[in-house]
Amino acid sequence: MVSPRGEVTPFASLFPVDEAHKAVKRVEEKIAEKQKEMDHLKEFIADNNSIINLVSKLPEELHHDIMVPFGKAAFFPGRLIHTNEFVVLLGEGYYAERTSKQTADILKRRGKALDSQVESLKANIKDLKAEASFFDTTASEAAEGLVEIREDYVDEDLGEEHFESAFQGKGESPGLNEKKHMVEEDDEYTRLMARLDELEREELAAENDDESIEDDPVANGALEDGNEQKEQSNTIESDTVNSEHFQNAISGDLLLYQTHSMQRKPQEQEKIEDVTAEALCNKYQSDLSLKDEQNRTGSTIQPLPKAENLSSKSSTHETKRHLHNEKASVLPEGKIEAMSSATQPVHMQSARPPSNSSKTEASQSGFDSSKAFTGSIVERSTDVLTAKSATLPPSDSQSKPSRPVSRFKMQRR
Amino acid sequence: MASPAAVRELQRDLENKANDLSKIQKDIAKNHQVRKKYTIQLGENELVLKELELLKEDANVYKLIGPVLVKQDLAEANANVRKRIEYISAELKRLDAIVQDLEEKQNSKREAVLKVQQRMQALQAGKAKA
């Protein structure tokens, strides 16, 4: 939904109409010139051929009776003798005496040279014509007001891409942009993740009374297995698929956070959340719509990220409060723009929300950018789904690959 | 303020540079033309050489000098044509070097003109603000 900043450039500005027209005219002029040259050459060739004919025919007779031109306007009858002797112009003022056959050969060679010249001219004209047509089309497009839209290639697709490549082992990213982006983001991401990791560990260490999940979950991020996820999912109330990795871990983490002292490092969390929340929300929105195919995983993830978004948003806005309250606070804040409808689900996941973002972050830290989101997306509770639907109707339910991906992205961001 | 004077001076400067630039461009165009002529001549001479080589030893070769066709020795004609070719190639090379030089000068002049233009724009902007 939030589309990356894009620039809409009307074609007219890039290729001003009249300039395009002028260019077309220029090219057409050049084409005309070349055509003239071509005609010239063709004339030469025709002359050459006729001379060859004449030269071959003359020796057929010993002498020919002809009308000899005399001055500008007179002729007199005469005879053409020495019918086999020709003085041929070789070029540069040099002449040579040759027989008819030799002359014909010379002429033929000249003809060949002319032909090659004509060929090159033809190629030239073709290129010029192509150029002219291109200019023409651009001119017409500009006139019509076609617009060129350029958008920053935000890393929305990054996670996706990353996911894809990791998943399918594809090496190449859809676009150079993506790659670059990914690289940059990777750095940021890893840094962020590392940070989050640390924070998480501290948090985890701090909280001891929490029964459920803790242990390994997020921090490692090696969550491919369902174990942690299982536990986490338990707390999370989701129908999360255990095998799904991160998401579960993430949710677990979130839960952890909430149950334990979230206040631990509220500021840091918030900061991180702040940083990521916005981005997450934004990305999430856009991602969601995009990623459907990629993520084969469950659709629940979507609601989750949403909730996370919500929570992150709310947390950012009211971090401290949320942290303290853990639950309801998140809901009422409900400032999350898109997620207003999701507040209820947020409720459900209230435990999660505040920590969601942090958790996701933490889990993100665990998430190794090189690791693909291998599997299914955690399916959140239906509420989340409904909440989601508010924002992204199409995105919910199955295979919101975008979700998990976006999650990553968000987290990465 | 010195602005109007500065502006005028900049404008004069711009004009000078623009003139120089156009001169250089004209030179380059002339050079191109001469080069074309020479190139065509070179091609022709090469053709003549080829034909001469095909001639038998005793064939008669004539050279057109004004309205007169003068008989020439085949060997002599060959030598002449070869020398001509060399001369033309040398001329072409020289012209090439000159053209390069001119192009470089043209580029530098263009940059100078741009700079002056920018300064003028800055000045105008400054004046407008003030």
Side-chain angles (χ1 to χ4, degrees):
Chain A
M1 308 231 271
V2 174
S3 50
R5 285 130 324 233
E7 315 153 15
V8 171
T9 16
F11 251 23
S13 74
L14 281 184
F15 312 105
V17 188
D18 41 335
E19 284 214 11
H21 277 309
K22 267 193 242 157
V24 173
K25 281 206 197 80
R26 269 200 308 250
V27 178
E28 278 177 3
E29 272 170 26
K30 274 201 234 149
I31 292 186
E33 272 179 35
K34 300 278 170 168
Q35 277 286 21
K36 260 198 289 184
E37 278 185 37
M38 191 89 122
D39 292 340
H40 228 58
L41 284 180
K42 285 218 176 113
E43 248 186 70
F44 284 166
I45 294 184
D47 277 348
N48 211 22
N49 286 338
S50 66
I51 291 185
I52 290 182
N53 276 340
L54 185 65
V55 161
S56 352
K57 274 211 330 223
L58 274 184
E60 283 168 17
E61 299 277 345
L62 271 179
H63 35 247
H64 295 268
D65 286 322
I66 54 171
M67 286 301 259
V68 186
F70 200 52
K72 261 198 276 190
F75 294 85
F76 65 81
R79 240 193 215 154
L80 198 60
I81 53 181
H82 296 286
T83 51
N84 202 24
E85 297 162 28
F86 294 87
V87 179
V88 192
L89 171 71
L90 302 177
E92 282 289 308
Y94 281 96
Y95 292 80
E97 267 191 6
R98 303 250 83 200
T99 69
S100 129
K101 195 149 160 292
Q102 291 159 337
T103 311
D105 287 342
I106 294 182
L107 289 175
K108 283 206 189 99
R109 266 170 290 175
R110 224 181 266 170
K112 264 198 249 162
L114 280 178
D115 280 340
S116 64
Q117 274 185 35
V118 165
E119 289 298 326
S120 71
L121 250 193
K122 265 200 211 146
N124 252 353
I125 289 188
K126 214 166 68 138
D127 289 342
L128 282 178
K129 281 210 178 118
E131 214 181 310
S133 71
F134 167 71
F135 280 139
D136 213 18
T137 42
T138 358
S140 56
E141 279 175 1
E144 286 174 14
L146 255 195
V147 154
E148 177 176 339
I149 303 179
R150 240 165 223 234
E151 292 187 342
D152 291 344
Y153 192 60
V154 202
D155 63 357
E156 304 168 8
D157 286 344
L158 265 183
E160 195 179 39
E161 219 235 327
H162 193 72
F163 175 73
E164 262 185 335
S165 28
F167 205 83
Q168 304 152 11
K170 269 201 288 198
E172 55 224 325
S173 31
L176 270 185
N177 272 355
E178 276 182 321
K179 269 219 181 93
K180 257 193 313 187
H181 231 112
M182 262 175 64
V183 171
E184 304 171 330
E185 309 233 70
D186 274 353
D187 294 346
E188 277 181 31
Y189 179 69
T190 37
R191 265 183 278 127
L192 268 181
M193 286 304 112
R195 185 98 203 289
L196 285 171
D197 256 347
E198 288 178 286
L199 293 172
E200 261 214 5
R201 276 189 224 115
E202 291 177 40
E203 291 261 19
L204 288 180
E207 56 167 49
N208 22 21
D209 46 341
D210 199 17
E211 54 300 356
S212 40
I213 307 99
E214 300 91 307
D215 330 291
D216 38 279
V218 245
N220 319 344
L223 335 172
E224 290 66 7
D225 294 5
N227 302 342
E228 318 139 334
Q229 292 149 14
K230 268 200 202 132
E231 306 194 80
Q232 289 155 14
S233 44
N234 292 344
T235 41
I236 301 188
E237 97 190 6
S238 53
D239 14 305
T240 50
V241 185
N242 291 335
S243 51
E244 298 1 76
H245 340 287
F246 245 99
Q247 321 304 354
N248 299 339
I250 295 175
S251 28
D253 286 343
L254 288 177
L255 197 45
L256 277 184
Y257 265 124
Q258 294 150 16
T259 48
H260 308 323
S261 47
M262 284 193 280
Q263 298 99 352
R264 243 14 100 158
K265 295 183 191 190
Q267 291 85 0
E268 298 165 295
Q269 293 298 338
E270 282 154 32
K271 246 198 310 177
I272 298 182
E273 287 173 7
D274 270 330
V275 166
T276 52
E278 303 290 314
L280 284 180
C281 289
N282 291 347
K283 281 222 190 107
Y284 185 63
Q285 310 295 358
S286 31
D287 280 343
L288 281 178
S289 32
L290 293 176
K291 309 307 177 185
D292 281 2
E293 311 73 76
Q294 265 95 7
N295 282 337
R296 349 261 181 83
T297 53
S299 47
T300 44
I301 308 286
Q302 282 182 351
L304 180 55
K306 265 232 186 135
E308 289 177 1
N309 274 347
L310 277 175
S311 44
S312 44
K313 277 257 148 140
S314 30
S315 16
T316 49
H317 296 316
E318 285 137 295
T319 40
K320 303 216 167 83
R321 266 188 299 146
H322 288 176
L323 287 178
H324 296 319
N325 305 341
E326 284 190 358
K327 313 202 177 199
S329 51
V330 181
L331 308 178
E333 316 324 335
K335 301 199 294 179
I336 298 96
E337 315 88 36
M339 319 286 194
S340 42
S341 51
T343 41
Q344 269 114 25
V346 177
H347 239 296
M348 310 287 209
Q349 313 169 340
S350 60
R352 283 194 293 278
S355 49
N356 266 0
S357 43
S358 40
K359 190 182 136 177
T360 42
E361 258 128 51
S363 39
Q364 283 299 8
S365 45
F367 172 65
D368 190 349
S369 32
S370 59
K371 287 196 195 171
F373 176 61
T374 50
S376 35
I377 305 216
V378 179
E379 291 276 354
R380 286 291 154 196
S381 53
T382 41
D383 334 307
V384 183
L385 270 178
T386 45
K388 272 268 314 169
S389 46
T391 43
L392 300 160
S395 50
D396 48 306
S397 58
Q398 289 33 41
S399 66
K400 297 296 171 158
S402 54
R403 206 92 65 84
V405 180
S406 49
R407 247 233 260 175
F408 293 166
K409 293 218 194 105
M410 295 194 286
Q411 290 156 357
R412 286 178 61 156
R413 268 330 240 97
Chain B
M1 238 187 356
S3 314
V7 171
R8 255 184 282 125
E9 176 196 314
L10 275 184
Q11 273 178 344
R12 244 181 295 129
D13 205 11
L14 192 67
E15 277 174 32
N16 289 342
K17 295 232 161 54
N19 285 342
D20 292 339
L21 194 65
S22 61
K23 246 196 294 169
I24 293 185
Q25 278 176 336
K26 270 195 231 133
D27 285 341
I28 290 187
K30 251 198 309 179
N31 206 303
H32 270 298
Q33 263 189 341
V34 179
R35 262 174 96 236
K36 246 201 282 186
K37 226 178 41 155
Y38 273 138
T39 317
I40 295 180
Q41 275 187 353
L42 187 68
E44 207 177 323
N45 272 299
E46 306 222 323
L47 261 185
V48 174
L49 194 61
K50 257 201 299 180
E51 293 290 346
L52 279 179
E53 280 165 12
L54 283 175
L55 279 181
K56 259 191 3 184
E57 270 306 323
D58 57 358
N60 294 331
V61 177
Y62 302 88
K63 173 133 178 123
L64 186 67
I65 300 183
V68 182
L69 257 186
V70 179
K71 189 163 158 70
Q72 276 225 326
D73 193 18
L74 181 60
E76 205 183 317
N78 261 323
N80 282 344
V81 172
R82 284 217 176 84
K83 271 216 208 84
R84 193 97 204 282
I85 288 182
E86 278 173 26
Y87 170 75
I88 293 183
S89 326
E91 277 290 313
L92 265 182
K93 266 201 222 128
R94 194 174 61 93
L95 282 177
D96 270 342
I98 290 186
V99 133
Q100 287 278 36
D101 197 31
L102 280 181
E103 270 180 10
E104 274 172 33
K105 266 203 243 153
Q106 185 195 60
N107 284 341
S108 68
K109 279 278 175 218
R110 256 202 220 125
E111 285 176 18
V113 165
L114 264 172
K115 270 198 224 130
V116 171
Q117 276 178 342
Q118 280 174 358
R119 271 170 47 207
M120 256 208 334
Q121 280 176 357
L123 247 186
Q124 305 280 23
K127 266 212 306 189
K129 263 197 269 176

